[in-house]
Amino acid sequence: MLPDPAAASTAAPGANDEFGSPALDFQEGAQPALIIPDATSYQFYITDLESRFGPYAPGLSEQLLGLGSAYQQQGLHDQAIDYFKRGVHIARVNGGLNGEQQIPLLQRLIRSLVAMGDFETADERQYYLFRVQANVYGRGSKQMSLAMLERAEWERRAYHLALGDTAFMRLLTMWELYSAALRNISREDGSHSQSLLRPLSGLLQTQYMISAYSGESTSVAEAVSTAEARFVEANRFSMVRGSNYKQGQAVIRAMREVYDYNEDEESPLATEALVQLGDWHQWHQKRDSALLIYQQAWDEFGELKDGERLREVYFGQPTLLPDLPGSARDLVAPSVVEGYASVSYFINGRGRVKSLELLEMERMDETDTRPPVRLLRRIKQQTFRPRLQDREPIATETIEKRYAY
């Protein structure tokens, strides 16, 4: 009989399991914390198990997990990957293709693959891990909700890494996973639970990414020439994109309701969500309605003890949108730099870049004298939350910046 991971969680530090090997501490299905992270000890117990019970001995995959994790903690990811792979193979032989023992091994394996920069293989293992989790946990469980969130966050990373050739499907998968997790958590914890904030935040990031997407066309005319599955997915993405504006508003309002329900009167979180709603209108070029929302947020900040500081934080200067955790504060330099350009411009009261002027440019290829048209277009297309003063939007003074392009 295989050791029960749940039983291992109650073992005392340094305790041995029924095979005389060091115990692993499992916390609610998370990656295990090692009690004895010593490679030599694990090697001894692995050799002992193999000699007594053969190459597929019960308990062997757990010891390979411990050994691989010990190497992983030392940054020896090549060795760790070998042991994790072997552990997954043995777990599949002993527990079946969808056996639960694979889950911590796969999670650790993916971590080392990412550390080694092997994102393509990590992406494949993420897909397999999620399939195993779905079979083990069931779609409606809390564990599966967590798995959905982790998979959605991986999809966002894979999108930015440009893994695969169908970027819009990454966005569609993110949207579906965050939405499914949101439904699960709402059903389990209620419609005002703070645990809803993680999928709601993920959905908002996804909605921004969908609205900014400019990759391959998803029109029916072009999709007809592709495989049937891609055609279906492209049409689904088009439908999601078509409702992007309304869905983004609904997500932010849901976040504000959660904050209103859970926070005290001095908390700024609900008003910060209101600023996000204004940003969403501003992002979609609905500047008049955005201003009204910003002014409402200005008034709400004024009712708080720390209101003046918050007004300065959110409205004391123009802010590049989207203003979300992890978002760039300015244009991101390309991976291959062709040159540098100094520019000047100001941001008007509607959050638009005006009077953009190229002051100076420097190309790596000195014979190329073309102006950086693409860079100038990117600067011009930026959307900002405007600066407010006494509730009213005002223009900034001239800004001078130097960009790589």
Side-chain angles (χ1 to χ4, degrees):
M1 176 178 170
L2 295 179
D4 181 5
S9 66
T10 62
N16 290 349
D17 66 15
E18 63 181 286
F19 297 101
S21 54
L24 301 178
D25 182 21
F26 286 79
Q27 299 293 332
E28 298 181 358
Q31 296 174 3
L34 302 179
I35 303 302
I36 308 177
D38 177 76
T40 303
S41 299
Y42 284 110
Q43 286 280 16
F44 172 81
Y45 288 110
I46 288 168
T47 301
D48 180 57
L49 279 172
E50 288 177 322
S51 65
R52 289 195 288 155
F53 302 103
Y56 298 103
L60 187 56
S61 62
E62 289 93 332
Q63 302 313 310
L64 290 166
L65 171 62
L67 180 57
S69 299
Y71 280 116
Q72 187 180 72
Q73 289 173 353
Q74 299 173 55
L76 302 174
H77 295 286
D78 276 333
Q79 294 94 320
I81 287 169
D82 289 339
Y83 289 115
F84 293 142
K85 285 182 176 178
R86 185 181 169 201
V88 169
H89 175 66
I90 292 172
R92 290 178 65 179
V93 170
N94 289 336
L97 295 179
N98 295 308
E100 185 173 4
Q101 285 183 323
Q102 298 174 81
I103 292 175
L105 285 154
L106 287 165
Q107 290 171 330
R108 291 276 186 174
L109 172 60
I110 290 165
R111 183 186 296 183
S112 282
L113 288 168
V114 169
M116 294 293 292
D118 189 355
F119 296 106
E120 294 285 352
T121 306
D123 190 40
E124 294 171 2
R125 294 298 84 194
Q126 283 282 2
Y127 177 81
Y128 177 63
L129 168 63
F130 187 73
R131 191 177 70 187
V132 173
Q133 289 170 320
N135 279 281
V136 170
Y137 299 143
R139 287 282 174 177
S141 68
K142 287 187 176 181
Q143 288 171 305
M144 198 59 209
S145 296
L146 179 61
M148 289 173 179
L149 293 173
E150 291 172 347
R151 172 71 188 280
E153 286 157 9
W154 171 260
E155 289 292 322
R156 181 166 67 246
R157 186 172 188 179
Y159 176 86
H160 289 303
L161 289 168
L163 297 181
D165 61 353
T166 51
F168 78 87
M169 290 184 66
R170 298 278 186 192
L171 298 177
L172 181 59
T173 300
M174 287 169 57
W175 182 83
E176 291 175 335
L177 288 169
Y178 281 127
S179 298
L182 184 66
R183 289 192 297 271
N184 279 2
I185 295 171
S186 180
R187 183 171 57 251
E188 289 287 331
D189 298 342
S191 59
H192 294 101
S193 170
Q194 289 179 307
S195 57
L196 296 171
L197 292 172
R198 184 176 173 186
L200 285 169
S201 297
L203 268 174
L204 181 57
Q205 288 182 318
T206 304
Q207 294 297 146
Y208 268 110
M209 293 168 68
I210 289 172
S211 66
Y213 179 73
S214 59
E216 64 264 39
S217 172
T218 59
S219 68
V220 173
E222 294 185 4
V224 166
S225 63
T226 66
E228 182 178 353
R230 183 182 172 88
F231 169 72
V232 172
E233 297 301 311
N235 280 334
R236 290 174 62 212
F237 180 73
S238 293
M239 292 176 64
V240 170
R241 196 172 189 180
S243 60
N244 173 260
Y245 174 61
K246 290 183 178 179
Q247 288 185 9
Q249 289 186 85
V251 166
I252 299 168
R253 289 193 176 109
M255 294 172 69
R256 182 165 158 86
E257 287 177 9
V258 171
Y259 290 132
D260 271 333
Y261 186 84
N262 290 283
E263 301 295 328
D264 60 40
E265 292 182 355
E266 282 301 317
S267 172
L269 295 176
T271 305
E272 289 171 348
L274 187 62
V275 175
Q276 287 186 326
L277 182 61
D279 290 346
W280 186 249
H281 283 248
Q282 183 80 351
W283 177 263
H284 283 272
Q285 314 303 316
K286 299 183 182 300
R287 293 184 171 84
D288 291 336
S289 58
L291 177 58
L292 292 175
I293 295 170
Y294 289 146
Q295 289 174 329
Q296 181 184 345
W298 175 281
D299 294 340
E300 287 190 14
F301 280 139
E303 298 173 2
L304 303 178
K305 186 181 301 182
D306 202 22
E308 286 305 316
R309 184 190 67 81
L310 290 166
R311 283 174 174 173
E312 180 63 26
V313 167
Y314 285 96
F315 301 117
Q317 63 287 313
T319 302
L320 181 65
L321 302 182
D323 181 23
L324 297 173
S327 296
R329 300 296 90 191
D330 208 334
L331 292 181
V332 178
S335 55
V336 178
V337 176
E338 297 179 3
Y340 298 88
S342 295
V343 302
S344 68
Y345 58 87
F346 73 91
I347 299 168
N348 70 7
R350 294 177 70 79
R352 298 293 302 275
V353 172
K354 294 293 182 180
S355 300
L356 176 60
E357 182 181 352
L358 177 63
L359 303 177
E360 186 180 30
M361 60 174 284
E362 172 190 342
R363 281 191 176 268
M364 298 303 186
D365 180 0
E366 295 181 355
T367 64
D368 188 349
T369 59
R370 294 173 299 170
V373 175
R374 184 176 299 177
L375 170 66
L376 297 175
R377 185 183 302 118
R378 289 178 65 201
I379 296 171
K380 189 73 173 177
Q381 290 174 344
Q382 292 179 113
T383 300
F384 290 83
R385 179 194 310 140
R387 178 184 173 196
L388 297 189
Q389 183 174 302
D390 297 328
R391 296 183 85 249
E392 296 303 320
I394 60 172
T396 65
E397 297 178 358
T398 299
I399 299 167
E400 292 189 5
K401 285 189 176 182
R402 180 175 170 86
Y403 293 97
Y405 65 90

